Amino acid sequence: TVMIETMLITVLGIGAGLVAGHFVLYFAKPLIDMNLGINLEPFLFTAVEIQGIIITLVAGQILALIAMFRIYSMNLIEEVSRD
């Protein structure tokens, strides 16, 4: 269940970040074009973003595995008695 929770949190974070980032770009596009002269298109997903999503998903699962192994290797009685 730890892996499923981590995947769900990672996917929700990626989705929220993509939506928020592209909405900010949508509203800031005129300022970016005028001040920096860079023409960026909101809601256009590039290969770099797809690679970032894949890397984020893999990193989230690796971190979940590490946390899961640490939790499962703990002895609950020893941890409670230590406090």
Side-chain angles (χ1 to χ4, degrees), residues 5-30:
E5 291 172 3
T6 306
M7 179 64 86
L8 180 65
I9 291 170
T10 305
V11 168
L12 289 174
I14 289 171
L18 281 173
V19 169
H22 284 273
F23 269 114
V24 168
L25 179 60
Y26 178 76
F27 291 113
K29 184 179 178 1

Side-chain angles (χ1 to χ4, degrees), residues 1-75:
T1 60
V2 173
M3 299 298 288
I4 295 171
E5 291 172 3
T6 306
M7 179 64 86
L8 180 65
I9 291 170
T10 305
V11 168
L12 289 174
I14 289 171
L18 281 173
V19 169
H22 284 273
F23 269 114
V24 168
L25 179 60
Y26 178 76
F27 291 113
K29 184 179 178 1
L31 294 173
I32 294 171
D33 285 344
M34 185 176 63
N35 293 329
L36 301 174
I38 300 172
N39 185 17
L40 299 172
E41 292 297 324
F43 305 107
L44 177 68
F45 298 100
T46 63
V48 174
E49 284 180 310
I50 302 299
Q51 289 172 351
I53 290 170
I54 293 169
I55 290 170
T56 303
L57 286 172
V58 170
Q61 292 306 299
I62 290 171
L63 291 173
L65 273 173
I66 293 169
M68 185 178 64
F69 286 134
R70 290 190 68 206
I71 290 169
Y72 287 141
S73 68
M74 294 171 93
N75 186 346

